[in-house]
Amino acid sequence: MGKPKCRSILPAAPAFAIALTGMVLCGSGNLWAQSVPKQIAVPPPPMGWSSWNSFSNTVDSQVVLEQAEAMVSTGMNKTGYRYINIDEGWWLGERDEKGDIVVDPKAWPALAPGERAGDMSNIVRAIHRLGLRAGIYTDAGADGCSTVGPDLGPSYPHTGSEGHYEQDFLAFAKWGFDYVKVDWCGGDRENLDPAVQYAEIARAIARAEAITGRRLYFSICNWGKNSPWSWAPNIGGVAADIWRTSGDIVAPIVANTRNSGRMASFPGVLSNFDQGIHPEAQHTGFYNDPDMMVVGMQGLTDAQNRVHMSLWAMSGAPLLVGADLTKLSDATLAILTNPAVLQVDQDALGLQAVKVAEPAHGLEVWSKTLSKPGERALLLLNRSSSPSPISVEWGDLGLLSSSSATVRDLWTGKELGVFNTSYSAIVLAGDGVMLLVRSREGMLTSYKASGSGKQALGGHGVAVMKDEPLNFTRVASRTRLARIQIVYANPDNAPRVVELRVNGQVATRIAFPPTGSDNAKGAIWIQSLLDRAGANNALSFSAPCNPGPTIESISLQ
Ligand code: GLA
């Protein structure tokens, strides 16, 4: 798939057909015969491993190779894990007279005949040979985190990319990396503006991609400062794919060092989960990132590891394992690779779970809309200190409240039966029950696009163009956070991009993957804050550059 004209560079996402139910047509007047659009899959959140949590600044070629090999020998790669991400500590701040990064040849030796020691493309080739993808790390400021307070080893300054953005990101792409995480320690210390700085970086990445033809998956790590969920996908250059929403769950726990006694904590996991919930920003391939996981690290029980994994899967979070892959227990490996749970994380709609009920303080019902109509992943979460029943009503999930639903335990795979209107389970203290609920979708109300612009989709769609926004006014929603289906066409072989502004608030970027032709309809889902009561919400879709997709309708409950 080619690159999008509007610089949001998303990988090809296969389209697949589903049947839609319960369409009611209204909005701008005319009733029209709406045929069934194809549900379009969006890029799922990344899955992989990151060096920081278990190796801190001791990361080197041998560590990385062993972890990559373990990802293959454990079979994790077959369940979708594929990024091997090198975090801080790979570079000690040295540059040559041209300003190019110089790495320690002993830490990064030649790994195959003909290679030169001190060349980061050696490790990338080794990772690629295993069928995996390689990630690298830098800081947006002049200095990296080590100068702010080294976790292990000496403080080494100048490990940031400020002043070298174009040079460094081009080097990462030329070395063959597929992924880059950009931290904020230096930027923070210099009191820089993250939206401005990351926009410069986005431009440098776009340029590196254009020169090398390589895609660099872009991960922003500024711990939620200045609300990156409201600007990260819209910064220009390329969109950020994921952005951190909070600080680290735990500082690194490195065997045989002064940090070997640190403990991950379950409250830390819950806190990062809570801070990562911004469902209105997470759709069409852009993801909130609540941090690398600590599943399997010391401090958590197996039950807590299972809840941690449930929370990340419900959130649709990047699944970046922080534990040492060469030392995973059978229980941890089973938790990290449970196919039904991974499927929830990787669901083709790319949405985030929302809290739909809190029957009592600390008793929570989280629901994630899945790509199969009528399906929801549920988490009944008990944060209290005693076992409690937690109930969920089908109506709260946007399913037909009068309809019965089948319920399956996602961790055990056990079918629990057919239930009318609701389900209830006893949930242990500090535990969670993760379920798949299958029923019938509630009714949707559709609003047809109308405008003076170019018509397509058999006369039923309006092309969104740069100076011609497509507006839907007088839109009503039963819930403040609305699930909205958008029916559209995009004949390109790359996504087209639109910015959506709801009630004049900050714009969010939506990527519309290819549908095949001008007349082939696709559907994607987003979640938006429709904060006005009654039919008083206004949605304005505008294209940051031409052409945008052709939009036929929006539908919501
Ligand atoms: C910050 C980030 C971590 C890790 C370290 C490296 O703390 O949040 O994920 O990258 O820096 O120093």
Side-chain angles (χ1 to χ4, degrees):
M1 178 157 102
K3 293 200 172 176
K5 298 201 171 60
C6 213
R7 301 178 313 199
S8 158
I9 298 173
L10 295 169
F16 58 95
I18 60 168
L20 289 172
T21 52
M23 283 289 193
V24 171
L25 309 177
C26 63
S28 61
N30 305 341
L31 279 180
W32 83 108
Q34 196 182 32
S35 59
V36 177
K38 269 192 228 163
Q39 180 60 55
I40 301 294
V42 303
M47 293 171 63
W49 172 86
S50 167
S51 62
W52 184 248
N53 282 354
S54 292
F55 294 94
S56 180
N57 295 327
T58 69
V59 65
D60 63 13
S61 177
Q62 189 183 339
V63 165
V64 174
L65 258 185
E66 283 170 7
Q67 297 297 314
E69 281 160 6
M71 186 174 277
V72 175
S73 63
T74 54
M76 289 176 71
N77 60 335
K78 297 217 174 71
T79 64
Y81 291 93
R82 57 181 169 185
Y83 285 101
I84 294 287
N85 291 348
I86 303 171
D87 207 283
E88 207 204 349
W90 64 275
W91 173 48
L92 307 184
E94 200 190 326
R95 291 182 186 269
D96 66 15
E97 65 285 353
K98 287 188 281 179
D100 287 335
I101 289 173
V102 175
V103 298
D104 177 4
K106 286 201 207 68
W108 304 100
L111 298 170
E115 289 182 349
R116 178 181 62 79
D119 180 350
M120 291 303 285
S121 59
N122 303 343
I123 192 68
V124 174
R125 274 191 296 271
I127 293 170
H128 286 169
R129 275 197 291 276
L130 291 166
L132 304 173
R133 293 186 181 172
I136 192 70
Y137 164 96
T138 189
D139 196 287
D143 294 318
C145 291
S146 153
T147 343
V148 178
D151 179 67
L152 277 178
S155 163
Y156 30 86
H158 313 312
T159 49
S161 287
E162 192 188 354
H164 297 272
Y165 288 161
E166 302 228 333
Q167 190 171 11
D168 287 0
F169 290 94
L170 183 57
F172 300 154
K174 282 189 169 165
W175 287 337
F177 282 102
D178 307 287
Y179 182 115
V180 62
K181 167 176 167 181
V182 188
D183 214 334
W184 189 240
C185 285
D188 204 38
R189 206 161 78 142
E190 293 167 63
N191 206 18
L192 301 176
D193 180 331
V196 170
Q197 233 49 43
Y198 283 108
E200 287 298 321
I201 289 166
R203 280 187 277 277
I205 291 177
R207 183 173 164 272
E209 288 180 332
I211 292 172
T212 61
R214 284 203 78 77
R215 156 102 158 106
L216 269 180
Y217 197 87
F218 181 17
S219 154
I220 286 182
C221 176
N222 82 326
W223 327 298
K225 289 205 164 184
N226 293 22
S227 311
W229 46 90
S230 66
W231 46 261
N234 271 340
I235 39 181
V238 292
D241 296 288
I242 61 175
W243 51 86
R244 280 277 295 276
T245 47
S246 54
D248 303 358
I249 299 176
V250 68
I253 306 173
V254 187
N256 308 317
T257 69
R258 65 182 153 89
N259 296 339
S260 60
R262 281 180 182 150
M263 295 280 178
S265 86
F266 190 59
V269 169
L270 289 171
S271 164
N272 272 42
F273 167 73
D274 289 335
Q275 294 175 75
I277 296 295
H278 301 283
E280 71 287 1
Q282 181 166 308
H283 42 65
T284 67
F286 308 114
Y287 293 95
N288 296 296
D289 174 7
D291 197 9
M292 286 102 54
M293 297 191 290
V294 296
V295 171
M297 295 182 66
Q298 66 197 24
L300 298 191
T301 63
D302 285 345
Q304 289 170 333
N305 282 326
R306 177 174 39 71
V307 180
H308 177 355
M309 189 76 192
S310 308
L311 293 167
W312 262 235
M314 290 296 290
S315 188
L319 299 180
L320 298 169
V321 181
D324 179 344
L325 301 185
T326 65
K327 296 189 180 138
L328 298 179
S329 68
D330 290 348
T332 299
L333 188 58
I335 288 168
L336 290 173
T337 57
N338 181 300
V341 173
L342 291 179
Q343 208 175 328
V344 171
D345 180 78
Q346 299 282 298
D347 181 78
L349 294 189
L351 296 178
Q352 191 169 46
V354 294
K355 186 161 66 177
V356 292
E358 188 164 0
H361 184 65
L363 305 182
E364 301 176 352
V365 181
W366 290 84
S367 167
K368 179 174 180 181
T369 302
L370 300 176
S371 47
K372 265 205 189 149
E375 287 198 356
R376 302 286 185 274
L378 278 195
L379 183 67
L380 310 180
L381 181 64
N382 181 357
R383 298 179 184 231
S384 80
S385 51
S386 47
S388 286
I390 304 183
S391 308
V392 50
E393 311 263 335
W394 302 156
D396 288 340
L397 309 179
L399 298 172
L400 269 191
S401 46
S402 54
S403 200
S404 62
T406 63
V407 179
R408 179 193 297 165
D409 184 309
L410 273 167
W411 279 103
T412 62
K414 190 169 166 212
E415 294 294 347
L416 302 173
V418 179
F419 299 85
N420 290 321
T421 67
S422 67
Y423 178 79
S424 183
I426 307 275
V427 186
L428 298 178
D431 209 330
V433 169
M434 196 174 172
L435 304 168
L436 177 67
V437 173
R438 281 172 295 174
S439 182
R440 290 175 57 206
E441 288 293 341
M443 293 295 242
L444 296 177
T445 303
S446 293
Y447 297 80
K448 186 179 184 321
S450 62
S452 54
K454 184 180 156 235
Q455 305 268 313
L457 279 168
H460 291 304
V462 175
V464 183
M465 302 300 278
K466 193 151 188 256
D467 300 317
E468 285 177 75
L470 171 63
N471 298 316
F472 292 87
T473 53
R474 309 201 58 74
V475 175
S477 168
R478 282 204 300 115
T479 53
R480 194 168 172 271
L481 184 72
R483 277 186 310 123
I484 306 178
Q485 186 203 44
I486 308 171
V487 176
Y488 72 100
N490 168 10
D492 287 354
N493 62 359
R496 290 184 177 180
V497 177
V498 150
E499 285 169 7
L500 167 62
R501 206 172 277 279
V502 180
N503 297 336
Q505 293 161 7
V506 67
T508 181
R509 175 174 292 222
I510 305 171
F512 291 80
T515 57
S517 78
D518 251 332
N519 284 313
K521 287 182 203 182
I524 50 169
W525 285 88
I526 62 170
Q527 302 188 106
S528 277
L529 282 176
L530 299 197
D531 56 348
R532 294 187 185 156
N536 279 320
N537 293 285
L539 281 68
S540 179
F541 293 85
S542 61
C545 61
N546 284 331
T550 299
I551 292 184
E552 178 181 277
S553 63
I554 61 171
S555 305
L556 60 163
Q557 282 177 329

